[in-house]
């Protein structure tokens, strides 16, 4: 293994992650998140070292409340003095040391990935900052198109100048698969769109009754009522008649599309999610909602890269 201290992951490959003292559930969650970072276009790609590996990880995820786990990491680093390991603490309370990297339990996959990317950027230095990221980019005023806003199919919000405005847009993911939820959540995070999760359609309906969402990603196969029934219930609510509902399916047939159309879904996405199609769906349906809200054009909108 080539450690970040001696070789950049840009040439060495994936960044190696070691876990110390985490529960089996947390390890599975970490593994799911890391597996999703192999998508093309990401600046950083991570891989989880096997339990008991003698290799020194580039980044160690450590249970801050587990003294034995911390001792195990110290013993491993003491035996590999030529390389350095960065540490990300998992804890229930924020540590006293403000300069350390930490995540509070329960673990949130998007925050965990953001912390890992931040640590990787710090270790790699300015090289990482020059790598392209899959995020929307702002449109220079001089290059702004003169065509009406409704005729521009790939418009989305401007990147940094309107971060607070974009935060007002939120998606809901209804899927009983943790991997699918994390996958979609990461894609949305790259577009700076926060999301909530629901494991069942009934739970999703309860969340929609309490909060407004700009887009819903709805799996067809769910515990309890299936996606078609849930979509019908969503459409019966006057407040949700125009909310885009994207059906998620492992296989799409003409019959499935007919059932989805009758239920009121806006479109289909086949799992595993294709990034290009996903971004096109986001752009199309969020722009449609923005055009309805701002018929004369919204100055806070930009181009989806």
């Amino acid at each position: 293994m080539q450690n970040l201290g001696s070789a950049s992951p840009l040439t060495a490959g994936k960044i190696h992650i070691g876990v110390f003292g985490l529960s089996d559930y947390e390890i599975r969650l970490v593994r799911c998140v890391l597996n999703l970072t192999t998508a093309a276009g990401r600046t950083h790609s991570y891989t989880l070292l096997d339990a008991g590996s003698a290799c020194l990880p580039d980044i160690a995820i450590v249970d801050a409340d587990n003294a034995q786990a911390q001792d195990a990491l110290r013993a491993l680093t003491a035996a590999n003095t030529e390389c350095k390991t960065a540490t990300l603490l998992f804890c229930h309370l924020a540590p006293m040391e403000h300069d350390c990297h930490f995540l509070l339990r329960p673990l949130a996959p998007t925050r965990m990935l953001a912390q890992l990317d931040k640590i990787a950027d710090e270790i790699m230095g300015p090289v990482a900052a020059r790598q392209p990221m899959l995020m929307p980019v702002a449109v220079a005023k001089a290059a702004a198109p003169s065509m009406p806003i409704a005729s521009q199919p790939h418009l989305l919000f401007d990147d940094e100048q309107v971060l607070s405005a974009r935060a007002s847009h939120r998606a809901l993911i209804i899927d009983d698969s943790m991997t699918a939820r994390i996958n979609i959540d990461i894609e949305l995070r790259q577009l700076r769109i926060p999301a909530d999760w629901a494991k069942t359609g009934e739970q999703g309906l309860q969340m929609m009754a309490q909060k407004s969402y700009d887009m819903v990603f709805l799996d067809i196969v769910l515990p309890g009522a299936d996606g078609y029934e849930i979509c019908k219930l969503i459409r019966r609510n006057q407040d949700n008649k125009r909310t885009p509902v994207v059906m998620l399916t492992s296989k799409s047939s003409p019959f499935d599309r007919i059932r989805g159309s009758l239920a009121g879904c806006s479109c289909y996405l086949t799992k595993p999610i294709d990034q290009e199609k996903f971004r096109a769906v986001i752009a199309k349906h969020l722009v449609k909602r923005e055009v309805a809200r701002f018929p004369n054009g919204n100055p806070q909108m930009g181009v989806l890269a």
Side-chain angles (χ1 to χ4, degrees):
M1 182 195 75
Q2 288 180 292
N3 188 269
L4 296 185
S6 58
S8 169
L10 294 177
T11 56
K14 295 181 180 179
I15 299 172
H16 295 84
I17 305 295
V19 294
F20 298 82
L22 273 61
S23 67
D24 291 341
Y25 169 79
E26 289 174 333
I27 293 174
R28 288 197 299 271
L29 180 58
V30 170
R31 189 182 300 277
C32 285
V33 174
L34 300 187
N35 286 343
L36 296 173
T37 65
T38 58
R42 289 206 89 254
T43 301
H44 305 303
S45 178
Y46 305 95
T47 185
L48 187 64
L49 292 174
D50 294 333
S53 173
C55 295
L56 186 67
D58 302 310
I59 301 175
I61 300 176
V62 186
D63 184 346
D65 303 318
N66 189 323
Q68 290 183 337
Q70 297 178 49
D71 289 342
L73 176 60
R74 279 193 289 267
L76 185 60
T77 55
N80 296 269
T81 56
E82 295 182 358
C83 300
K84 294 183 179 180
T85 294
T87 302
L88 174 59
L89 297 176
F90 281 3
C91 44
H92 292 94
L93 297 174
M96 298 298 293
E97 300 82 0
H98 298 294
D99 58 342
C100 67
H101 295 284
F102 69 93
L103 277 177
L104 296 180
R105 288 185 167 97
L107 303 182
T110 53
R111 288 197 292 269
M112 177 172 64
L113 187 58
Q115 279 283 30
L116 290 174
D117 286 344
K118 180 179 179 181
I119 295 172
D121 285 342
E122 291 178 359
I123 297 174
M124 293 166 60
V127 177
R130 295 196 296 269
Q131 301 304 307
M133 291 293 289
L134 291 178
M135 290 184 179
V137 295
V139 182
K141 293 183 178 180
S146 58
M147 66 181 72
I149 191 169
S151 64
Q152 302 172 32
H154 297 296
L155 291 177
L156 197 60
F157 308 102
D158 182 75
D159 189 23
E160 295 300 336
Q161 293 115 328
V162 292
L163 187 57
S164 59
R166 186 181 302 167
S168 66
H169 289 73
R170 181 171 290 272
L172 175 62
I173 306 167
I174 305 176
D175 199 309
D176 61 331
S177 166
M178 177 187 292
T179 300
R181 294 196 303 267
I182 293 174
N183 194 355
I184 296 171
D185 196 25
I186 288 176
E187 294 293 341
L188 289 169
R189 188 183 69 83
Q190 290 180 338
L191 299 176
R192 305 291 180 85
I193 300 172
D196 293 332
W197 298 357
K199 296 180 181 180
T200 68
E202 291 79 4
Q203 182 184 4
L205 290 173
Q206 292 176 358
M207 295 172 69
M208 294 186 72
Q210 300 170 3
K211 188 183 298 185
S212 177
Y213 293 96
D214 296 277
M215 180 170 284
V216 178
F217 294 90
L218 177 62
D219 190 25
I220 292 178
V221 181
L222 292 167
D226 64 19
Y228 299 118
E229 292 300 318
I230 296 301
C231 188
K232 291 177 184 178
L233 293 173
I234 290 174
R235 292 302 186 217
R236 288 178 188 174
N237 187 318
Q238 189 64 33
D239 295 336
N240 299 324
K241 282 189 175 296
R242 296 185 179 275
T243 302
V245 177
V246 181
M247 284 283 198
L248 305 173
T249 178
S250 56
K251 58 180 180 179
S252 181
S253 68
F255 179 70
D256 292 330
R257 293 182 180 276
I258 292 173
R259 288 191 65 186
S261 178
L262 292 173
C265 83
S266 305
C267 65
Y268 272 87
L269 279 177
T270 303
K271 296 190 290 186
I273 301 298
D274 177 84
Q275 187 181 66
E276 184 176 348
K277 292 180 180 178
F278 180 88
R279 291 165 68 87
V281 165
I282 291 289
K284 175 183 176 182
H285 290 286
L286 282 188
V287 166
K288 187 180 294 185
R289 285 179 68 81
E290 288 302 301
V291 169
R293 292 173 59 192
F294 303 97
N296 297 321
N298 181 3
Q300 293 180 335
M301 298 179 74
V303 171
L304 180 64

